[in-house]
């Protein structure tokens, strides 16, 4: 656990990194206490100190060490990067006061807050320096290049990803141990208006974006798989629409061919975000091939993280590029019986076409004003 390299490639204000950092802080503190706290309060750099009342806390120096050693983030927005840095630095000083800080400064003669420049960086996680290959550079002004903001993963994180120790995708064992977050949900139709160059680049570089329209979150999933080490895991909260949509076909193919699915928690039509209508899932992928995966469909509640979610195991070969339809064992048995004595609609001697959809709001959305006229 102490050697984990945890990344959020679209860290925003840093909420997921704060959660990961807190988990690591608690884990380290509990490990030191279980091992006998007295041995960890001694030496040149003690890991624990005792507070009034007898409780144990990690020293500021230890909190800094964990942060610099384990937590990494990237975001295309410079302001978001600064907010993430500030949030993490405030976490370092949590529960401290001027007296405890002065004592630790006197002991170690070091600055209180670390420099996070090597951990939290600004750039486009999806576009590397190869973006400029074949581009008409004269068409890209300084403002456009600043907005695109290419990011070189091997140059920015050389100790984690480099030519000597590349990620699994390039035949090596390097890469991050965990890639977490809530990737952006942006339909490519909207991006074409303000980022046409990126849209075309994604189609060329990423399989998940190679055919038709797509949502940018599918590209972030493919990017995460490329950044994972062979024993790494990805965990995203993201839309579940890719289970069955046409634009999700290529992503389903990537995941199924690699047997990468480790766990899937589907929220169905339940809403988990208070101010947004999104149909989400928790998607956990592995950097190595798995023989089976866990699946659960749940409704959100305050106790969801501690509740028994009723996971069911399924073989990895159940998945393919075809739409993913997950059912319980009883539902699967019923569906099998129905199929035995049924004829699929598409095999009937009839022409069946797609019905109305809200792709064109002016045509398919009827307002209250029109109804009451």
């Amino acid at each position: 656990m102490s050697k984990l390299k945890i990344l959020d490639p679209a860290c925003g204000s840093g909420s997921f990194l704060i959660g990961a950092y807190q988990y690591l802080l608690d884990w380290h503190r509990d490990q030191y206490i279980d091992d006998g706290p007295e041995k960890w309060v001694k030496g040149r750099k003690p890991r624990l100190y005792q507070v009034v009342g007898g409780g144990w806390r990690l020293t500021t120096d230890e909190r800094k060490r964990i942060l610099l050693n384990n937590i990494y983030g990237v975001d295309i927005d410079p302001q978001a990067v600064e907010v993430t840095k500030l949030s993490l630095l405030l976490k370092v000083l949590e529960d401290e006061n001027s007296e405890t800080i002065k004592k630790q400064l006197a002991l170690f003669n070091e600055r209180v807050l670390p420099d996070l420049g090597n951990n939290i960086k600004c750039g486009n996680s999806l576009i590397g320096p190869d973006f400029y290959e074949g581009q008409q550079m004269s068409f890209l002004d300084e403002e456009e290049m600043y907005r695109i903001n290419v990011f070189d993963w091997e140059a920015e994180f050389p100790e984690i990803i480099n030519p000597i120790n590349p990620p699994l995708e390039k035949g090596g064992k390097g890469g991050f141990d965990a890639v977490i977050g809530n990737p952006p949900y942006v339909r490519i139709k909207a991006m074409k208006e303000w980022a046409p160059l990126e849209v075309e680049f994604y189609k060329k570089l990423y399989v998940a974006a190679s055919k038709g329209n797509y949502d940018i979150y599918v590209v972030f999933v493919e990017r995460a798989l490329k950044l994972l080490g062979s024993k790494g895991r990805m965990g995203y909260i993201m839309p579940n629409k890719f289970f069955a949509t046409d634009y999700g076909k290529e992503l389903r193919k990537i995941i199924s061919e690699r047997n990468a699915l480790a766990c899937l928690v589907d929220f169905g039509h339940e809403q988990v975000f208070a101010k947004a209508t999104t149909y989400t899932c928790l998607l956990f992928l592995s950097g190595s091939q798995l023989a089976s995966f866990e699946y659960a469909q749940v409704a959100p509640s305050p106790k969801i993280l501690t509740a028994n979610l009723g996971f069911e195991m399924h073989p990895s070969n159940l998945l393919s590029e075809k739409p993913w339809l997950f059912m319980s064992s009883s539902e699967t048995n019923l569906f099998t019986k129905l199929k035995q004595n049924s004829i699929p609609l598409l095999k009937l001697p009839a022409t069946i076409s797609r019905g109305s959809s809200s792709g064109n709001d002016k045509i398919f959305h009827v307002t209250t004003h029109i109804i009451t006229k």
Side-chain angles (χ1 to χ4, degrees):
M1 184 73 74
S2 62
K3 295 181 180 180
L4 288 180
K5 305 298 182 184
I6 301 173
L7 167 75
D8 186 340
C11 61
S13 59
S15 299
F16 282 80
L17 292 180
I18 290 291
Y21 182 39
Q22 182 64 65
Y23 184 89
L24 290 172
L25 292 174
D26 294 342
W27 184 87
H28 280 82
R29 180 203 60 209
D30 294 343
Q31 289 293 310
Y32 295 145
I33 293 174
D34 291 343
D35 192 38
E38 294 78 11
K39 69 172 65 175
W40 296 106
V41 298
K42 303 174 182 179
R44 293 185 57 217
K45 290 191 175 184
R47 307 292 175 88
L48 294 176
Y49 71 95
Q50 196 166 25
V51 297
V52 177
W56 298 97
R57 289 181 185 165
L58 296 175
T59 62
T60 302
D61 190 65
E62 175 65 0
R63 295 169 77 94
K64 289 191 294 184
R65 186 192 69 81
I66 295 169
L67 175 58
L68 294 175
N69 186 59
N70 298 105
I71 302 297
Y72 300 86
V74 178
D75 200 277
I76 195 171
D77 183 355
Q79 292 185 341
V81 169
E82 293 307 313
V83 170
T84 297
K85 288 180 180 179
L86 178 60
S87 299
L88 289 169
L89 292 176
L90 291 174
K91 196 70 177 174
V92 172
L93 297 178
E94 193 174 61
D95 298 326
E96 300 290 357
N97 55 46
S98 58
E99 183 178 350
T100 59
I101 291 174
K102 285 179 181 178
K103 286 183 179 179
Q104 294 184 65
L105 283 174
L107 282 172
F108 310 128
N109 194 28
E110 295 180 358
R111 57 182 291 177
V112 177
L113 295 176
D115 179 4
L116 295 181
N118 290 327
N119 292 68
I120 312 300
K121 303 195 176 191
C122 185
N124 190 327
S125 294
L126 303 177
I127 297 181
D130 52 342
F131 173 79
Y132 296 123
E133 296 177 7
Q135 293 284 353
Q136 291 287 341
M137 298 301 292
S138 58
F139 293 158
L140 297 176
D141 56 25
E142 186 175 344
E143 182 179 349
E144 185 79 355
M145 293 179 70
Y146 178 79
R147 183 185 62 76
I148 295 172
N149 199 5
V150 302
F151 190 77
D152 189 338
W153 285 96
E154 292 183 357
E156 296 294 340
F157 297 112
E159 295 182 358
I160 302 174
I161 302 173
N162 57 54
I164 299 175
N165 192 25
L168 181 67
E169 188 253 352
K170 294 186 178 181
K173 296 182 179 180
F176 289 91
D177 299 294
V179 179
I180 62 176
N182 178 24
Y185 314 158
V186 184
R187 287 187 297 180
I188 218 62
K189 288 183 179 179
M191 282 191 66
K192 286 180 179 178
E193 298 180 5
W194 51 270
L197 292 177
E198 291 97 303
V199 170
E200 293 305 312
F201 182 76
Y202 297 150
K203 286 186 176 182
K204 294 177 182 178
L205 185 64
Y206 294 97
V207 175
S210 61
K211 296 180 180 178
N213 293 315
Y214 57 93
D215 196 300
I216 198 68
Y217 71 83
V218 302
V219 183
F220 270 94
V221 175
E222 186 175 346
R223 175 78 264 183
L225 284 171
K226 292 180 179 180
L227 293 170
L228 281 180
S230 59
K231 296 182 180 180
R233 290 291 175 96
M234 183 212 84
Y236 280 168
I237 180 168
M238 52 183 266
N240 58 20
K241 290 183 179 180
F242 84 93
F243 292 176
T245 56
D246 290 341
Y247 75 71
K249 179 179 179 180
E250 297 305 315
L251 179 58
R252 296 194 298 268
K253 183 178 181 181
I254 292 171
I255 295 173
S256 60
E257 287 182 346
R258 298 188 183 191
N259 290 334
L261 185 60
C263 180
L264 187 62
V265 179
D266 183 13
F267 293 107
H269 296 289
E270 301 292 340
Q271 299 300 308
V272 298
F273 296 114
K275 297 182 180 180
T277 302
T278 54
Y279 305 100
T280 53
C281 68
L282 302 179
L283 180 70
F284 299 92
L285 303 181
S286 171
S288 57
Q289 294 195 5
L290 302 175
S292 60
F293 64 91
E294 293 181 299
Y295 171 79
Q297 184 170 15
V298 296
S301 72
K303 297 181 180 179
I304 188 171
L305 295 181
T306 57
N308 183 352
L309 299 182
F311 283 104
E312 291 191 355
M313 296 296 297
H314 295 282
S316 295
N317 59 16
L318 176 71
L319 303 177
S320 70
E321 63 186 45
K322 295 180 179 179
W324 292 355
L325 300 174
F326 300 104
M327 295 177 285
S328 65
S329 299
S330 58
E331 290 172 331
T332 300
N333 292 334
L334 176 60
F335 189 69
T336 301
K337 291 179 181 179
L338 290 172
K339 285 180 65 178
Q340 290 176 351
N341 300 304
S342 302
I343 301 174
L345 288 175
L346 292 176
K347 291 187 177 181
L348 293 175
T351 301
I352 300 174
S353 60
R354 181 178 180 180
S356 63
S357 64
S358 58
N360 189 328
D361 293 350
K362 293 181 180 179
I363 295 177
F364 295 113
H365 280 191
V366 181
T367 65
T368 304
H369 174 70
I370 295 174
I371 295 173
T372 56
K373 282 184 65 176

